[in-house]
Amino acid sequence: MVNWEKVAQPAKAARAALSYEAIAVAAIEVADTQGLDAVTMRKVAEHIGAGAMSLYRYVDSRDDLITLMVDRVSAEAIAPPPTGDWRADLTEAAHRIRQVTLRHPWLARHALNAEDFGPGTLAMTESTLALLDGHGLDTGDMLDAWRTLLAFVQGHAFAEARRHEARQRLADGSETGPGPSFLDQAAESGEYPLSTRALLEAVRHTDPRDAFDRRLGHVLDGLAQAFFERGRR
């Protein structure tokens, strides 16, 4: 488990090149460019220009290393101060989380336990819960609403990032375009009329931002009915 008190201490001058911050930044760069599976103690140490064993003075395991990464990246998604309009506030928070996840798609693959939360993760959580505070929700409802929003945004953005990566590989020639897909063949067979029509139309006509906004609206409508409009019924 990460010792957050030690993380908060300034790096010693003699070891300034090797610090919790430097390790987290290097690991994030590896994950962003090569994927989360590429993050190993050895590879991160090489990225910094240090020996692999030297990292163990700071983190006990790869899991602790990833916890440091998630905490640092979570700070990029701190929500702005609440305006009092919960729907507008959550929309802005959702877009921030989407952008962070698009920059760091691996983030959606790793969920922290509450005891692993560090200052960045707690700051992001606090800022988002503040958007829900004062609207008649208890803390359990606020947490449920936040986790529902987070699960949707990260899942949507992760899938969006994967599709973008696939298009990039085709564009730069690192992969050749496929022949007729099973989806195309299934459409011709007529065996799956609803699925193939919906999926093929989505491929042709969906703008990623428009699709996100539309589906986010559905989630916010659901949150409104589940939490914000109960007292009116």
Side-chain angles (χ1 to χ4, degrees):
M1 184 176 295
V2 174
N3 186 327
W4 294 109
E5 292 183 1
K6 285 187 177 181
V7 174
Q9 294 173 0
K12 295 180 180 179
R15 297 178 179 175
L18 191 62
S19 63
Y20 287 103
E21 180 179 7
I23 291 169
V25 169
I28 290 166
E29 289 174 353
V30 171
D32 287 348
T33 56
Q34 302 176 49
L36 189 61
D37 291 341
V39 175
T40 64
M41 303 291 267
R42 181 178 300 278
K43 182 162 288 188
V44 172
E46 290 175 353
H47 197 74
I48 299 174
M53 294 305 297
S54 63
L55 265 64
Y56 286 98
R57 294 201 300 268
Y58 297 84
V59 289
D60 293 333
S61 66
R62 181 176 183 272
D63 285 343
D64 286 353
L65 177 59
I66 294 175
T67 297
L68 280 178
M69 295 163 60
V70 173
D71 189 71
R72 184 176 181 84
V73 168
S74 294
E76 298 177 20
I78 292 174
T83 66
D85 183 339
W86 71 265
R87 190 175 183 112
D89 289 344
L90 287 186
T91 297
E92 174 61 26
H95 277 281
R96 290 196 178 196
I97 297 168
R98 172 179 176 260
Q99 289 301 323
V100 171
T101 308
L102 289 176
R103 288 196 296 271
H104 313 288
W106 52 268
L107 181 64
R109 290 183 50 193
H110 192 82
L112 295 181
N113 296 316
E115 58 268 23
D116 292 324
F117 277 29
T121 319
L122 280 173
M124 185 270 284
T125 304
E126 183 74 16
S127 69
T128 309
L129 293 179
L131 308 179
L132 297 164
D133 193 25
H135 295 283
L137 282 67
D138 60 30
T139 53
D141 286 344
M142 288 193 292
L143 194 60
D144 279 351
W146 171 68
R147 284 179 169 168
T148 299
L149 182 74
L150 184 66
F152 161 73
V153 176
Q154 288 193 327
H156 193 285
F158 180 72
E160 186 180 337
R162 293 294 298 271
R163 288 191 292 269
H164 176 73
E165 290 170 0
R167 288 193 295 269
Q168 286 295 108
R169 289 194 295 270
L170 288 174
D172 64 21
S174 58
E175 284 187 7
T176 58
S181 68
F182 179 74
L183 185 60
D184 294 320
Q185 297 170 19
E188 291 182 6
S189 74
E191 189 174 355
Y192 310 96
L194 297 178
S195 300
T196 52
R197 187 175 73 221
L199 292 171
L200 289 172
E201 286 179 358
V203 169
R204 288 194 294 267
H205 303 299
T206 298
D207 175 84
R209 173 66 181 258
D210 290 344
F212 178 78
D213 283 333
R214 184 176 66 254
R215 292 161 186 163
L216 174 62
H218 301 329
V219 173
L220 295 176
D221 288 344
L223 293 179
Q225 291 187 15
F227 300 112
F228 295 93
E229 296 177 0
R230 288 180 304 190
R232 302 176 190 173
R233 297 198 291 267

